[in-house]
C-alpha cells in the first residue's frame, strides 16, 4: 500500500498548525490559476482563441452601436468598475471594519484591493496587449488590454467586501448576496466587451486572475486566524470572520474594546 510523504501527511492532519484548510485553499488557487495560464499563453502566442477574440469584439460592438439607451446603460454599468469608485468602496468598508474593532478585516480589505491592483498592472505591462480596434468605438480606455482591469478589480473588490461582511447577512439571504455580487461583476465585465475596449479573453482573464488573488488573500487571512488560535470558518457560507457579525452590524456595539486585533 503506497505511503504518502511525511510532510504531506503532516499537512493533512486536522490538528496541524494550519491543517487541511491551507491545503484546500492551495488546491482552489491552483484550479483557478490553470485557466488563467491557458488564456495568458493563448494571448502571448496569438493562438486560436485570439482569432475568436477579434471576431467577437466587432460582433458585440455592432449589437449596441446606434442604440443610445443601451450605450448609456453600458457606460453606467462600466462606471461601477472604475478604480475611483472601487477605491471608495474598499476605503469605506475598511474604515467601517476598523471603527467596529475588526482590524484584521480592515487590513484584509486594504491588502487585497491594493495588491490586486498591483498584480493587474504588472501583468498588463508584461503581456503588453493592445486594445481592440472596432468599427464603432463607444468608449476610450488607457493602458493595455490584458487582463481587463475592470473585470479583475471588480472581482477582487466586491468579492472581498462580500467575504468581509457576509456574517451580517441573514443566513437565508446569503445565496442572494453571492448572486448579486456575481451578477454585478458579470455585468461590469460584459459592458467592457460591448463598449469595444476589451476582448473576451481580457475579461475572462481578469475575472479568473481576480478570483485567484481573492482566494490567495482569503487563504492568508485563514492562516492569520490559525496563528491567533481562532476557530476555523467556512468562508463561502459564513464569511471571513463569522464571530464579527455583532460588531459589524448597525446594532452592534461601538468600536472601543470590541473585536479582534
Amino acid at each position: 500500500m503506497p505511503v504518502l510523504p511525511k510532510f504531506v501527511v503532516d499537512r493533512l492532519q486536522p490538528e496541524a498548525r494550519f491543517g487541511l484548510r491551507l491545503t484546500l485553499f492551495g488546491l482552489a488557487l491552483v484550479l483557478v490559476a490553470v485557466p488563467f495560464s491557458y488564456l495568458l499563453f493563448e494571448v502571448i502566442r496569438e493562438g486560436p482563441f485570439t482569432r475568436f477574440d477579434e471576431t467577437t469584439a466587432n460582433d458585440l460592438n455592432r449589437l449596441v452601436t446606434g442604440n443610445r439607451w443601451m450605450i448609456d446603460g453600458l457606460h453606467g454599468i462600466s462606471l461601477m468598475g472604475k478604480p475611483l469608485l472601487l477605491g471608495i468602496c474598499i476605503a469605506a468598508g475598511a474604515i467601517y471594519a476598523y471603527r467596529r474593532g475588526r482590524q484584521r478585516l480592515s487590513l484584509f480589505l486594504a491588502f487585497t484591493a491594493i495588491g490586486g491592483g498591483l498584480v493587474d498592472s504588472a501583468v498588463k505591462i508584461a503581456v503588453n496587449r493592445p486594445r481592440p480596434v472596432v468599427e464603432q468605438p463607444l468608449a476610450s480606455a488607457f493602458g493595455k488590454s490584458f487582463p481587463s482591469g475592470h473585470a479583475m478589480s471588480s472581482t477582487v473588490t466586491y468579492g472581498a467586501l462580500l467575504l468581509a461582511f457576509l456574517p451580517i447577512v441573514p443566513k437565508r439571504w446569503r445565496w442572494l448576496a453571492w448572486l448579486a455580487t456575481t451578477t454585478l461583476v458579470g455585468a461590469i465585465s460584459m459592458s467592457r466587451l460591448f463598449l469595444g475596449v476589451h476582448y473576451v479573453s481580457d475579461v475572462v482573464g481578469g475575472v479568473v486572475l481576480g478570483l485567484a488573488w481573492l482566494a490567495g488573500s482569503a487563504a492568508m487571512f485563514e492562516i492569520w486566524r490559525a496563528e491567533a488560535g481562532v476557530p476555523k470558518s467556512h468562508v463561502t457560507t459564513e464569511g471571513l470572520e463569522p464571530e464579527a457579525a455583532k460588531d459589524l452590524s448597525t446594532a452592534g456595539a461601538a468600536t472601543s474594546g470590541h473585536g479582534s486585533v
Side-chain angles (χ1 to χ4, degrees):
M1 182 176 180
V3 179
L4 292 173
K6 185 177 184 301
F7 79 92
V8 175
V9 175
D10 291 342
R11 177 61 60 210
L12 293 174
Q13 293 300 320
E15 66 273 11
R17 191 178 185 190
F18 306 129
L20 188 58
R21 73 179 78 176
L22 179 57
T23 302
L24 294 177
F25 269 119
L27 178 61
L29 188 59
V30 170
L31 291 176
V32 173
V34 167
F36 176 78
S37 299
Y38 168 75
L39 288 173
L40 180 61
F41 288 133
E42 280 290 292
V43 170
I44 293 175
R45 295 181 302 136
E46 297 185 356
F49 199 94
T50 59
R51 291 191 287 275
F52 168 79
D53 268 345
E54 296 283 353
T55 302
T56 307
N58 276 292
D59 289 344
L60 293 177
N61 179 247
R62 291 191 199 101
L63 286 176
V64 298
T65 299
N67 189 326
R68 178 49 52 189
W69 287 97
M70 186 172 290
I71 293 172
D72 289 343
L74 290 169
H75 277 288
I77 294 171
S78 181
L79 181 64
M80 298 295 291
K82 288 282 187 182
L84 178 60
L85 180 60
L86 295 177
I88 291 173
C89 290
I90 279 291
I95 291 171
Y96 182 82
Y98 185 86
R99 289 177 61 84
R100 288 289 179 173
R102 289 292 164 175
Q103 287 83 2
R104 274 203 299 260
L105 281 180
S106 179
L107 287 173
F108 166 79
L109 290 172
F111 170 81
T112 302
I114 295 172
L118 293 175
V119 169
D120 172 66
S121 297
V123 176
K124 279 181 180 291
I125 293 172
V127 177
N128 196 33
R129 188 187 202 185
R131 297 271 179 178
V133 178
V134 295
E135 297 172 3
Q136 298 290 332
L138 302 175
S140 59
F142 298 102
K144 297 302 179 178
S145 193
F146 183 90
S148 165
H150 275 64
M152 179 175 178
S153 296
S154 60
T155 299
V156 169
T157 298
Y158 295 123
L161 288 169
L162 175 64
L163 293 180
F165 292 99
L166 192 62
I168 65 175
V169 179
K171 290 184 178 180
R172 66 180 180 278
W173 298 118
R174 287 178 184 174
W175 69 271
L176 189 58
W178 276 102
L179 178 61
T181 302
T182 303
T183 301
L184 176 59
V185 172
I188 292 170
S189 301
M190 288 299 297
S191 73
R192 306 303 285 170
L193 294 176
F194 285 107
L195 291 173
V197 292
H198 276 297
Y199 296 107
V200 172
S201 58
D202 295 338
V203 298
V204 174
V207 170
V208 171
L209 184 58
L211 288 172
W213 180 256
L214 186 61
S217 295
M220 286 186 282
F221 188 85
E222 279 288 289
I223 294 171
W224 194 2
R225 281 169 58 86
E227 288 275 9
V230 182
K232 177 184 176 182
S233 64
H234 298 282
V235 176
T236 57
T237 56
E238 299 177 326
L240 289 168
E241 281 197 326
E243 62 276 9
K246 182 178 178 181
D247 292 335
L248 294 176
S249 68
T250 54
T255 100
S256 57
H258 294 273
S260 59
V261 293

